[in-house]
Amino acid sequence: LANGAAAEGHLAKIRVALVGIGNCASSLVQGVDFYRGARGDDPVPGIMHLDLGGYHVGDIEFVAAFDIAKGKVGRDLAEAIAAPPNNTERFAAVCPTGVEVRRGPTHDGIGRYLREVVIESSQPVDDVAGTLRRTGAEIVVSYLPVGSEAAARWYAEEALRAGCGYVNCIPVFIAKDAQWRERFRECGLPLIGDDIK
């Protein structure tokens, strides 16, 4: 990762930007908070590896977030993960993060089944690559709605522009595409996906 190793052999935080603040993003944010204090080598219910390559789940730090929904854009990430139409179970009381959800472009991010549910924010579209650079994001995790092909590729481009790795959590072929893999490889950036459960 860009910020390398910290003092005394401990690795630095993993600075993550989230795209699409729906139920999956809510579960991730809550999970990081829930497991942050877990210690030891004992099995921890719900998580396979507490320590992975020297990183603890608590080393994940959310630094940026993007969505299009009126009830999420402009709010703290901790509030946005609970905003309708999200309905995932609340299993952690996430404190304010200081991360304001910014307005991303819609592209094809609202499918026909969400058109009557999601009200788009009237805020202007953010300079996504600029925000990624300004916040020091290292990894972009995309939880866009399934079928958001144009939006997924657009965010992958923004990740490249900002020098971020990209984790594609929806079934749009980016990591399986040789050209995308080569572009990220040439920049020395990780590209992971497609369709992370």
Side-chain angles (χ1 to χ4, degrees), residues 63-188:
V63 297
F66 305 93
D67 203 276
I68 62 170
K70 181 179 179 181
K72 298 175 184 179
V73 174
R75 297 178 77 177
D76 187 276
L77 179 60
E79 296 174 345
I81 61 173
N86 288 10
N87 59 6
T88 195
E89 182 180 341
R90 297 301 301 266
F91 59 90
V94 179
C95 294
T97 63
V99 175
E100 178 187 336
V101 178
R102 313 287 292 196
R103 174 66 153 98
T106 302
H107 293 294
D108 53 355
I110 300 182
R112 62 181 174 185
Y113 300 112
L114 294 177
R115 275 273 165 224
E116 296 177 14
V117 177
V118 176
I119 300 169
E120 288 188 65
S121 170
S122 61
Q123 290 195 25
V125 172
D126 188 58
D127 171 12
V128 171
T131 295
L132 294 173
R133 285 190 293 266
R134 181 178 50 77
T135 60
E138 297 169 306
I139 302 288
V140 174
V141 177
S142 174
Y143 281 121
L144 288 166
V146 172
S148 306
E149 293 196 29
R153 291 186 177 95
W154 188 87
Y155 275 104
E157 289 284 359
E158 293 297 285
L160 277 170
R161 284 182 57 212
C164 297
Y166 191 71
V167 179
N168 180 35
C169 298
I170 66 170
V172 171
F173 295 142
I174 295 176
K176 291 179 183 169
D177 182 293
Q179 291 182 336
W180 279 108
R181 282 197 313 270
E182 181 60 19
R183 292 181 65 198
F184 275 84
R185 189 195 65 74
E186 285 177 354
C187 294

